[in-house]
Amino acid sequence: MQVWPGQTYPLGATYDGAGTNFAVFSEAARRIELCLLHDDGTQTAVELRETDAFVRHAYLPGVMPGQRYGFRVHGPYDPARGHRCNPAKLLLDPYARALSGRIDWNEAVYGYHHGRPESRNDLDSAPHTMASVVVNPYFDWGDDRPPRTAYHETVLYEAHVKGLTMRHPDLPEELRGSYAALAHPAVIEHLTGLGVTALELMPVHQSVHDHRLADAGLANYWGYNTIGFFAPHNAYASWGDRGQQVLEFKSAVRALHRAGIEVILDVVYNHTAEGNHLGPTLSFRGLDNASYYRLAEDRRHYTDTTGTGNSLLMRSPHVLQLVMDSLRYWVQEMHVDGFRFDLAATLARQFHEVDRLSSFFDLVHQDPVVSQVKLIAEPWDLGEGGYQVGNFPPLWTEWNGKYRDTVRDLWRGEPRTLAEFASRLTGSSDLYQGDGRRPIASVNFVTCHDGFTLHDLVAYDEKHNEANGEENRDGERFNRSWNCGTEGPTDDPGIRALRARQMRNFVATLMLSQGVPMLSHGDEFGRTQGGNNNAYCQDNEVSWVRWPTPEDTGERELAAFVRRLVRLRREHPVFRRRRFLQGRPVPGAEDALSDIAWFTCDGTEMGPDDWESAQARSLMVFLNGRAISEPGPRGEPIADDSFLLLFHAHPEEQEFTVPPRHGRRWRVVVDTARPLAGDGTDGAGAVVKAGDRLTLTGRSLVVLQRPTEPYGPVGAA
C-alpha cells in the first residue's frame, strides 16, 4: 500500500476523489497506527509517521468512501498521571464524518479488567466497538437556501427523530424513526400546518447506549451521550451506515428547507460517552485523556459538572478547535441553521466558575460562520453556580427556565405570581434588557423533552418513573404540576374538561407571550408518558408520539387550537415585538394610549397592592397595536390591531369589566373555556363593548381583538 505524507489539516478522514488524507491529534502518543478494517475481519495497519504540532497524518491513495477505520495509540498508560493510552483499544476518530456498527459492551472496550480498576486490560476491542467511516463529501444541494427566519417570527418545535415519526400511520414502516421520515410529506405537512418555522432536533450526533442501560434492557433514547461530534447517529439511518446516513440527513435538511423550516440541532459539547474513570475507552480517552478532559487534582478522576461522569476541558485549544470545527461543519456541509447547546454553562467554565468572557464565547462571537446562525443556550449545568438564566452574552438566546416555572405556577394557582408573570409574559426584560438584549433572547417554553409532557403536567402531581429501573428516584421531584383533582387517567368528565382547558391555557399563554415560543413534539395532541418525567431511557411507546386517529376528537381539537394560536401570533406583530414594551405612550403614535396597560378584573389600572396581593390570580393586559415603535422590514411603520388579554387562574367564575378608555368595541377571538370561540364557525365572534362585563369560567383565558374596522376608530369610546 502506498503511503504519502499527507496534510495536518483538516483533521479526520478527507476524501478528495483519488484517495483519503488522515490526520489525528495526540500530544500523549509516542506512535499512532491507522487501522483499515476489512469485511472479512482482517485489518491493515499503517503507521502515521508524519507529525506536525502533535498531529499525525498520512495520505493513502485509493482509499475510497465506505472504508472503515480506527486508530491504535502507543503511549503511556498511567491513570495516576492522567494518561490512558492502550494500543489494544481500537479508537474512533474524533473527526469521523460517519460511524458504523455498535458497541456490544464486552469487557475488551474497557481499559481495565472488571473488578480490578487498577489493572490494565490488553484485550483487543476491535470486534466489540464501532468503526469510523470515510465519507464522500459530495451532495447535490440544488438550489437549497437557508430560510433565515427572523427570530421574532420563529416558532420552535422540539422533536426526537425517532419519537416523532415512529408511529406515524402515513409513513412506510421502513422509513419510520429515520432521517428520511423527517423529509416525508406527511411529516412536513403537519409541521407547516401547525405553523412551525424551526425544527429543533434532539441530539443527532452519534451517541451510544451506555452499558448500564443496555444490561437493563433500556436505551439512551434521548441521545445525550455523544461519541461523534461530526457523525449523524447511525441508528436513525434507513439507507445504511457506511456513510449513507450523511446523505440521508442532508436530504432531510434539503426537504425541510424547501418547506421553509429551519433545522436546529441540540448539541452536547459538554461531555462524551466515555463517562468517568470506570467508563470505556472508545476515542478521546485513549488518544489523549489529559488534553480532552477536565481532570481532578489526583489526575485519576474527572471533574464532572454535567452529571455524566466527565466534562470536556474547555480551556484546551484542541477541545475548542474540535467544537468550533464541528459547528462549522454542520453549518457549511450539512446546512443546519443553528444549535441548542445542552448544559451550556459547562462550556463557559474555562477554569472553575461560569464566565461569560470565556474563550468559547470569544471564538463563537468572532467566527464568521457560527456567529451568523441561531445560538440557543440551555443556561445551566449541575456544577456550583451553574444556573445562569439571563447571563449569557448578547449574541445568544436562552431557554428561559424562569418563564416555564412562573407560567406553571400561575395556572396551578400559586399565590403572589402576578408580578413575575407580567415580566415573563412581556419578554423577561428583568433578565435581558440590562445588557442590551431584546425579547427574542427568551425562548419561552412550558414543556420540553425533560420533564412532564403538556398532558402529564395537568394529570399528575407526582412523577411515575418506575419503568426506568431506578425505583422512581430519578427525575425532578418538584414539577410545578397539578393533576386537577385525580392522579393519572380518569373518566370523570369534569376533570377531563378542566385538564383540556388547562392545556389550552398553557398553549395560549405561550403564543401570546413576547419572545420565541417553543412547542414540544406531541404536545399538540396531548401526548402522555404516563407520568414519567425522565423518559431518557424509554425507546418505546412511552416516548413515541401517538398520532391521533379520526376517532380521537379531543386530540384533534387540541391540535386545531394550537394551529389557531400560532396563526394568531403570526398574523399580529403586537405579539412578537422586537423591542421591550415601555408602559408609556410612544411618541408619534396615533393615539395617546400606552403601548401596554394592566387592569384588575373591574377594569381599573393595577396598583402596587394589586400586584402584591397573595390571592390575586387574575388580570387584564392591554396591548396597543398602534404603539409598535419599530420599523417593518422595509422601514415602514408597523401598525396592528390592539388586544385585551384576560387571564383568570382562580378556580371560580369571575366577572371582568372591559376598560372604558381603550376601545369602543371588541371581538372575542379566543376563549379557552370554549375552544371553538372565534374560530370562524360563529361568524365574527362575540362582540363586546367598552364597559361590558364578561363572566370567565374558572381557570380560563380570553382574548379580545380591537380592529380599526368595522368596530370603530382607535381611541377613547
Side-chain angles (χ1 to χ4, degrees), residues 31-343:
R31 186 162 63 93
I32 296 181
E33 291 176 296
L34 166 68
C35 292
L36 303 180
L37 309 178
H38 309 300
D39 290 343
D40 62 3
T42 62
Q43 303 177 23
T44 300
V46 177
E47 183 174 351
L48 302 181
R49 297 182 180 276
E50 299 293 328
T51 306
D52 295 284
F54 304 114
V55 174
R56 313 280 176 131
H57 52 91
Y59 180 90
L60 275 61
V63 170
M64 297 286 110
Q67 174 66 58
R68 295 179 301 128
Y69 70 97
F71 298 114
R72 296 188 186 273
V73 175
H74 299 260
Y77 182 83
D78 188 355
R81 296 179 180 271
H83 301 303
R84 296 178 180 267
C85 300
N86 186 339
K89 310 306 168 189
L90 185 74
L91 304 177
L92 299 172
D93 182 356
Y95 278 73
R97 270 47 172 182
L99 297 178
S100 176
R102 63 183 183 86
I103 299 167
D104 65 13
W105 297 113
N106 184 279
E107 186 177 8
V109 301
Y110 292 87
Y112 61 94
H113 291 283
H114 290 172
R116 292 183 288 147
E118 303 299 323
S119 64
R120 169 172 161 153
N121 181 341
D122 289 327
L123 296 172
D124 185 6
S125 70
H128 308 286
T129 191
M130 307 174 77
S132 306
V133 180
V134 176
V135 169
N136 187 343
Y138 176 74
F139 179 78
D140 183 6
W141 283 102
D143 59 354
D144 181 68
R145 295 290 185 275
R148 296 193 182 281
T149 305
Y151 253 128
H152 68 286
E153 296 176 343
T154 295
V155 176
L156 294 165
Y157 186 85
E158 186 196 32
H160 188 283
V161 172
K162 188 172 185 179
L164 177 64
T165 63
M166 195 63 185
R167 300 181 66 187
H168 198 300
D170 296 333
L171 295 182
E173 278 197 34
E174 64 272 16
L175 293 187
R176 294 180 184 180
S178 70
Y179 301 120
L182 297 178
H184 193 278
V187 174
I188 290 179
E189 287 170 11
H190 174 70
L191 296 175
T192 55
L194 205 58
V196 168
T197 70
L199 185 61
E200 184 178 302
L201 292 175
M202 290 173 66
V204 299
H205 287 175
Q206 183 68 57
S207 62
V208 301
H209 303 301
D210 39 300
H211 196 166
R212 178 187 66 83
L213 293 176
D215 284 349
L218 300 170
N220 199 307
Y221 166 70
W222 284 351
Y224 293 94
N225 205 33
T226 305
I227 197 62
F229 294 107
F230 293 78
H233 188 57
N234 60 5
Y236 302 152
S238 63
W239 301 354
D241 74 347
R242 295 287 187 91
Q244 297 95 327
Q245 61 264 50
V246 178
L247 301 177
E248 188 172 338
F249 181 87
K250 289 179 176 179
S251 297
V253 172
R254 183 177 59 190
L256 289 161
H257 280 182
R258 286 174 178 169
I261 298 174
E262 294 182 307
V263 178
I264 295 174
L265 301 189
D266 193 338
V267 290
V268 189
Y269 293 112
N270 53 73
H271 74 280
T272 80
E274 291 185 301
N276 63 17
H277 64 289
L278 298 178
T281 299
L282 306 176
S283 179
F284 309 92
R285 173 172 285 144
L287 281 165
D288 196 331
N289 186 57
S291 289
Y292 280 112
Y293 292 116
R294 185 184 294 273
L295 301 181
E297 289 185 12
D298 65 5
R299 308 293 287 174
R300 180 184 295 276
H301 298 91
Y302 296 82
T303 298
D304 176 20
T305 59
T306 66
T308 63
N310 67 57
S311 302
L312 284 171
L313 183 62
M314 294 308 296
R315 66 174 177 269
S316 164
H318 307 290
V319 171
L320 291 169
Q321 181 187 4
L322 172 80
V323 173
M324 296 307 299
D325 285 349
S326 171
L327 292 171
R328 279 191 295 270
Y329 173 78
W330 285 95
V331 174
Q332 294 178 309
E333 298 297 326
M334 308 295 263
H335 285 208
V336 304
D337 305 283
F339 305 95
R340 179 266 188 190
F341 293 81
D342 178 65
L343 299 182

Side-chain angles (χ1 to χ4, degrees), residues 285-518:
R285 173 172 285 144
L287 281 165
D288 196 331
N289 186 57
S291 289
Y292 280 112
Y293 292 116
R294 185 184 294 273
L295 301 181
E297 289 185 12
D298 65 5
R299 308 293 287 174
R300 180 184 295 276
H301 298 91
Y302 296 82
T303 298
D304 176 20
T305 59
T306 66
T308 63
N310 67 57
S311 302
L312 284 171
L313 183 62
M314 294 308 296
R315 66 174 177 269
S316 164
H318 307 290
V319 171
L320 291 169
Q321 181 187 4
L322 172 80
V323 173
M324 296 307 299
D325 285 349
S326 171
L327 292 171
R328 279 191 295 270
Y329 173 78
W330 285 95
V331 174
Q332 294 178 309
E333 298 297 326
M334 308 295 263
H335 285 208
V336 304
D337 305 283
F339 305 95
R340 179 266 188 190
F341 293 81
D342 178 65
L343 299 182
T346 290
L347 305 180
R349 293 183 185 273
Q350 185 167 329
F351 294 98
H352 174 72
E353 296 180 349
V354 178
D355 183 1
R356 62 184 287 166
L357 301 178
S358 70
S359 297
F360 171 70
F361 290 132
D362 290 344
L363 290 172
V364 168
H365 282 223
Q366 61 80 39
D367 191 277
V369 174
V370 179
S371 65
Q372 299 307 302
V373 300
K374 288 183 168 68
L375 302 172
I376 303 170
E378 182 185 36
W380 51 76
D381 67 12
L382 301 183
E384 182 181 356
Y387 192 75
Q388 293 290 321
V389 173
N391 292 331
F392 273 66
L395 186 65
W396 293 69
T397 62
E398 302 175 15
W399 271 26
N400 190 344
K402 292 187 177 182
Y403 178 94
R404 171 199 60 202
D405 296 346
T406 303
V407 171
R408 288 186 179 192
D409 279 348
L410 175 83
W411 286 113
R412 72 190 180 105
E414 285 296 290
R416 292 189 174 88
T417 57
L418 285 187
E420 185 167 3
F421 174 74
S423 179
R424 304 296 158 247
L425 181 73
T426 54
S428 296
S429 60
D430 59 321
L431 299 176
Y432 305 115
Q433 191 171 28
D435 58 5
R437 289 197 278 176
R438 295 187 175 181
I440 59 172
S442 177
V443 172
N444 299 328
F445 67 104
V446 176
T447 59
C448 63
H449 69 273
D450 189 2
F452 280 148
T453 64
L454 182 63
H455 171 278
D456 292 355
L457 185 64
V458 301
Y460 294 92
D461 281 353
E462 307 294 336
K463 60 188 175 73
H464 297 270
N465 299 355
E466 290 81 6
N468 295 355
E470 300 179 44
E471 299 180 350
N472 206 32
R473 292 191 301 266
D474 63 305
E476 176 60 56
R477 294 190 178 278
F478 184 44
N479 294 283
R480 290 182 161 88
S481 61
W482 179 51
N483 64 19
C484 297
T486 297
E487 188 77 354
T490 180
D491 293 327
D492 186 307
I495 292 177
R496 290 169 65 91
L498 175 57
R499 288 176 177 176
R501 189 161 68 249
Q502 285 285 73
M503 286 192 283
R504 292 191 291 269
N505 289 336
F506 283 123
V507 170
T509 303
L510 181 65
M511 292 303 158
L512 298 173
S513 298
Q514 306 296 327
V516 182
M518 184 183 79

Side-chain angles (χ1 to χ4, degrees), residues 504 557 561 564 671-679:
R504 292 191 291 269
E557 283 183 352
F561 184 82
R564 284 180 53 213
D671 183 349
T672 59
R674 300 165 184 80
L676 298 182
D679 72 342

